[in-house]
Structure formats: structure tokens, C-alpha cells
Amino acid sequence: MLIICRRRKRRNNESTLISCPRGERRNHESVGEFWISTLSVIAEKVTYKEIMRATENFDAKYCIGRGGCGSVYRAELTEWLLVAVKKFDTHSLHPGEMANQKQLLNEVKTLTEIHHRNIVRYFGFYLHAQHSFLIYEYLEKGSLNKVLGCEVEAKELGWSKRISILKGVAQALSYLHHDCFPPIVHRDISSKNVLLDLDYEAHVSDFGAAKVLQPGSTNWTVVLGTYGYLAPELAYTMKVTEKCDVYSFGVLALEVIKGKHPGDIILSLSSSLTRVKKNRLLRDIVDQRLPFPPPALHAKLTAICNLASTCLDVNPQLRPTMDMVSKEL
């Protein structure tokens, strides 16, 4: 489908979101213009004023999450159109602070070029000194971190659903690493950046730290990501590879099984000599809020723990690829 791209200037805050073709690259350094890259014509009729109305000028009662660069709001635009609006803090996006603007635009560019059922759908963005935000599909269950952190919701997330979530994340990462050219490294895989829909299907989100691996380049960059999920080699090298995401996935896999961040368990499983073999060890790892898994699921969870331990190997070259992980799951 051909999507027309054009440029407009704002008039009385009534600018319509503008469609851009997939993969188009532009110089976005000018501030105060509204741009959109959309997967559906529904976004073409959305205006800046409607976003402000739906969130009542970003009132706190519509806030559904907070992050390092800003907050996410629920915006009901019509009876049938509900979106999430990721608003960047104004103090972090002043016109002169191009580094922070670059993070926003990096996320926009990445999202316009990728389409996968386990990656959050993206509708558009607005860049301005006063309000800068991204518009996503709304995922009803929120973040995996929130669900695991709630006693009631965590109990609803049974073993089969948890395994399905890991499969979805693995498939999304396999797509980014092996089906995109050049490959894309997410660099911030964590339970906060995995969103769940009503059926508890996983959707990877937040591509602000994403890195496109250019062929022939060293791909050295600053270290970004969430503490507790970062690959150990990033402590002494700034070279980004797909194996950084593989390590983060290993942490996430254990977190999903344990029900919380695995912490010191990572150290005991990060050696290639360590594998989960005994029933007692799995009993120490699994989320105590759920019934102990029956034999069939017990074997599957043990296999996932073993797979996670290979992802956590301190030597990145010994870690599997996400394609291998996805197929094994």
C-alpha cells in the first residue's frame, strides 16, 4: 500500500497526523512539526487537539506507567479507538538537547520499519518543545512487570501462559535479529518493556535504545538498558551485538518462571557447566504463588531454565542465537 507523505505546519493546534511511507528517512531536527507513520488509516484523522482532549492535557489520572524519559497515558479517542500515548518529559526534550530528541526519533524510525505480531503497533509521533509523544496501540493488561508484581494478576498468569509469553518475546527478537536487514538489537529487553494484551500475548515495546547493526561497522556505542538485564561484557566493552539481547532474554525467562527478577540465581546459572537437573532446584526457582507444575509442564520449565542458563553464559560466543532459542521453545 502506498502512503503519501507530506509536510504541514501547525495552525491553532489542529494539525492532522501525517502519514509517511515505511522506511522513509528524513531530517527531523526541526522542532514544532507534527509527523506520523501509521499502520492504519484510523490515525490519519487524529489531531493534536484530540490527543490533548482525550488525556485532559495529560492529567495524572490517565497515566498508566512511568519510565526514565517520561510517562505513558491512556487515551480514548473514540468509542472504538483506544491508544497509549508515551509523553516525553519536557525538561528532557528542549530544542537544544538533541541527544534526547535523537532517542525519540530513533524509536520512531525503528518502529516504522518493523512489523511483527509480537511487537507493539505504532501509529505516530509529535515533536515539539512543549509536548513530544509517541502513539501506540493500547495493550489492556499493561506491562509484564506490573502483572508479575500483582498477587492477583500473577496467579492468573499460569504456567502455560508464561511459556507462551516467552515464546512471543523470543519470536519478536528472532525477527529483529534474523529477518530485519540490517539486524536490529533492542538493547533494553526487560519485563517493563513487554506489554500484554487481553489474551496475555506478549508485545515487545520501547525501542528508544534500539541499535541497527550496520554491516562493516564496529557498532560501538554508549551502554544503554535496564540494570539487572545488561550483558556482563558491556562492563568492559561498548560493542553491541545480538548476544546482548540474548542475555537479557535469559534474565527475562527466569523472571517469568520465578515471578520476580532472579537476582543471585543468575550467577549460579551463568556458567556453561550449570544446568537445572534436580526437582529440588526447579522447586527453588518456580513462582511459589502458583501450584507446582505437573510432570509435562515440569519437564518444559526445566528445559526453559536450562535454555535460559545458556543465554546467560558469560561468554557471548557460547550463547545461542534468538533463532535457536525460538525454535527450541
Side-chain angles (χ1 to χ4, degrees):
M1 180 178 67
L2 177 64
I3 305 177
I4 298 173
C5 180
R6 60 193 184 277
R7 190 172 184 170
R8 291 180 183 170
K9 292 185 178 180
R10 296 170 58 230
R11 290 188 299 176
N12 300 323
N13 284 337
E14 290 292 346
S15 299
T16 300
L17 299 184
I18 302 172
S19 299
C20 292
R22 179 172 178 248
E24 172 147 341
R25 286 173 168 79
R26 288 180 172 270
N27 180 355
H28 293 291
E29 292 187 358
S30 58
V31 178
E33 296 179 3
F34 211 175
W35 296 84
I36 179 70
S37 180
T38 177
L39 302 179
S40 171
V41 294
I42 61 175
E44 294 182 0
K45 298 181 180 179
V46 177
T47 65
Y48 168 79
K49 186 175 181 179
E50 288 172 327
I51 294 290
M52 301 304 290
R53 174 196 55 78
T55 60
E56 296 183 29
N57 297 322
F58 295 110
D59 189 282
K61 66 184 178 183
Y62 294 100
C63 184
I64 56 175
R66 299 185 186 277
C69 294
S71 303
V72 180
Y73 295 81
R74 179 182 185 275
E76 186 172 352
L77 300 175
T78 68
E79 292 182 2
W80 48 273
L81 180 54
L82 184 63
V83 299
V85 181
K86 180 179 178 181
K87 176 179 173 291
F88 286 73
D89 292 333
T90 53
H91 70 267
S92 68
L93 284 171
H94 289 312
E97 298 184 16
M98 295 310 300
N100 292 309
Q101 289 185 26
K102 184 177 180 181
Q103 182 180 10
L104 168 60
L105 297 173
N106 184 61
E107 182 163 1
V108 170
K109 183 178 74 68
T110 302
L111 288 169
T112 62
E113 298 174 347
I114 55 179
H115 305 293
H116 189 277
R117 64 177 294 173
N118 295 112
I119 294 176
V120 66
R121 287 176 54 195
Y122 155 83
F123 296 125
F125 74 99
Y126 180 78
L127 178 60
H128 190 271
Q130 182 179 5
H131 292 300
S132 298
F133 52 81
L134 295 166
I135 305 172
Y136 296 92
E137 66 175 322
Y138 179 78
L139 281 305
E140 294 83 356
K141 291 296 183 180
S143 74
L144 174 60
N145 179 268
K146 179 183 75 70
V147 172
L148 291 176
C150 175
E151 191 80 14
V152 175
E153 292 187 81
K155 290 180 179 179
E156 290 292 320
L157 202 62
W159 295 121
S160 295
K161 290 178 181 176
R162 296 190 187 202
I163 293 172
S164 179
I165 286 171
L166 291 177
K167 288 181 179 179
V169 176
Q171 288 168 3
L173 290 176
S174 179
Y175 165 78
L176 293 173
H177 294 180
H178 304 285
D179 296 331
C180 293
F181 184 82
I184 298 172
V185 180
H186 185 280
R187 289 208 295 170
D188 198 11
I189 293 298
S190 71
S191 58
K192 290 184 178 180
N193 291 333
V194 175
L195 304 180
L196 306 176
D197 61 22
L198 283 175
D199 296 321
Y200 292 98
E201 184 168 11
H203 301 259
V204 174
S205 70
D206 200 339
F207 283 76
K211 173 73 173 176
V212 177
L213 298 185
Q214 299 296 343
S217 172
T218 57
N219 292 301
W220 288 66
T221 185
V222 296
V223 177
L224 294 174
T226 301
Y227 180 77
Y229 298 85
L230 293 173
E233 65 269 19
L234 293 175
Y236 53 85
T237 177
M238 294 186 293
K239 184 176 181 179
V240 175
T241 70
E242 297 96 325
K243 296 302 180 73
C244 297
D245 280 351
V246 175
Y247 182 90
S248 299
F249 177 82
V251 178
L252 180 71
L254 292 180
E255 180 176 2
V256 168
I257 292 174
K258 188 174 177 60
K260 60 182 180 180
H261 190 278
D264 292 341
I265 292 178
I266 295 175
L267 297 176
S268 65
L269 293 178
S270 60
S271 168
S272 59
L273 299 177
T274 303
R275 295 293 181 266
V276 178
K277 295 181 179 179
K278 297 181 179 179
N279 182 72
R280 179 185 59 81
L281 183 55
L282 181 64
R283 188 176 294 275
D284 292 338
I285 294 176
V286 296
D287 192 339
Q288 302 299 311
R289 296 171 295 185
L290 295 183
F292 194 72
L297 283 177
H298 177 279
K300 182 65 177 178
L301 291 173
T302 300
I304 291 175
C305 286
N306 286 330
L307 182 60
S309 71
T310 65
C311 294
L312 295 172
D313 201 297
V314 293
N315 185 345
Q317 294 182 346
L318 296 180
R319 296 172 201 157
T321 65
M322 284 311 305
D323 182 57
M324 295 167 60
V325 171
S326 179
K327 290 177 179 177
E328 192 162 337
L329 285 173

